[in-house]
């Protein structure tokens, strides 16, 4: 609104400088970009991310099978000395166990898996995702999670686009102010030495 008011004010003003008119047009262009271009960038980024993530989620769901693993015994401790802080924190909540599960082809597999401490005793069972060959893999990406991630991508893209518009506006305004000060210095340098003298018209 200020940009529109500025354009109207400078339209026929005798004190108007070229930089004043340019500043008003730059401000108006920034407002239009913030209202139209920035939401368009966010929407486009969100749509592209959602389509990509949902394709990945469907591919993962088609290529992974959920089964049940049964704990046989705790896994032997690794031969390394002291665990790092991150490993120690993980060990408080999860534990490595030797477990048995059934592969999609019906064969029985045995291996070392990581599960929560609440289901790490022999005889406990827990959900496990495998690929078509029966190898343990991470759970597939849920469609709801894909939508949430795409929303974050869209909001981030819109924020960065708005930040870019404001940065460009500030750089242009700064450049215009610098040019204005240079012209003012030149004008003062030509008029200043005669300022106030008799007969100079000042």
């Amino acid at each position: 609104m200020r940009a529109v008011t500025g354009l109207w004010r400078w339209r026929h003003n005798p004190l108007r400088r070229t930089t004043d008119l340019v500043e008003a047009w730059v401000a108006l262009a920034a407002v239009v970009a913030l209202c139209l271009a920035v939401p368009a960038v966010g929407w486009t980024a969100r749509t592209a991310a959602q389509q990509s993530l949902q394709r990945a989620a469907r591919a993962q769901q088609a290529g992974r099978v959920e089964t049940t693993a049964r704990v046989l015994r705790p896994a032997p401790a690794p031969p390394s000395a002291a665990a790092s802080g991150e490993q120690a924190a993980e060990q408080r909540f999860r534990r490595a166990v030797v477990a048995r599960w059934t592969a999609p082809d019906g064969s029985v597999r045995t291996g070392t898996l990581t599960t929560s401490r609440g289901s790490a005793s022999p005889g406990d069972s827990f959900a496990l995702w495998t690929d078509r060959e029966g190898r343990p893999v991470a759970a597939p990406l849920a469609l709801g999670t894909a939508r949430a991630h795409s929303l974050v991508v869209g909001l981030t893209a819109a924020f960065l686009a708005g930040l870019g518009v404001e940065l460009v506006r500030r750089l242009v305004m700064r450049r215009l102010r610098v040019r204005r000060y240079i012209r003012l210095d030149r004008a003062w340098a030509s008029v200043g030495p005669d300022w106030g003298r008799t007969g100079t018209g000042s």
Side-chain angles (χ1 to χ4, degrees):
M1 190 64 186
R2 288 182 59 188
V4 175
T5 304
L7 281 173
W8 183 262
R9 186 179 69 240
W10 291 120
R11 199 163 56 111
H12 298 299
N13 196 318
L15 299 178
R16 184 196 70 190
R17 296 164 295 191
T18 303
T19 54
D20 295 326
L21 196 58
V22 172
E23 282 186 0
W25 277 111
V26 168
L28 180 60
V31 170
V32 172
L34 288 173
C35 293
L36 299 179
V38 169
V41 168
W43 179 263
T44 302
R46 176 185 176 276
T47 302
Q50 183 170 348
Q51 291 175 350
S52 177
L53 289 172
Q54 287 189 345
R55 281 196 302 269
R58 292 190 182 97
Q60 289 179 6
Q61 291 174 356
R64 301 181 185 185
V65 179
E66 186 177 14
T67 185
T68 300
R70 186 170 298 278
V71 178
L72 300 178
R73 61 183 180 276
S80 59
S84 65
E86 183 177 348
Q87 291 174 337
E90 183 180 357
Q91 289 174 0
R92 285 199 295 268
F93 301 99
R94 303 188 66 81
R95 176 172 292 177
V97 296
V98 177
R100 176 181 294 131
W101 66 94
T102 303
D105 61 2
S107 61
V108 177
R109 306 291 180 87
T110 302
T112 301
L113 303 173
T114 302
T115 184
S116 64
R117 293 180 65 90
S119 58
S121 300
D124 290 344
S125 59
F126 57 93
L128 174 69
W129 286 89
T130 68
D131 60 14
R132 294 297 178 181
E133 305 300 323
R135 294 183 293 262
V137 293
L141 181 66
L143 294 179
T145 304
R147 285 192 294 270
H149 288 339
S150 64
L151 180 60
V152 172
V153 169
L155 291 175
T156 302
F159 172 77
L160 293 177
L163 195 63
V165 169
E166 178 62 15
L167 179 61
V168 170
R169 187 192 70 82
R170 287 178 179 269
L171 289 175
V172 172
M173 294 296 189
R174 182 177 182 277
R175 180 61 181 169
L176 291 173
R177 283 195 299 270
V178 169
R179 290 180 60 184
R180 184 183 300 152
Y181 292 150
I182 290 174
R183 289 180 180 178
L184 183 61
D185 289 341
R186 289 175 181 171
W188 181 251
S190 63
V191 176
D194 296 329
W195 185 263
R197 292 184 182 179
T198 304
T200 60
S202 59

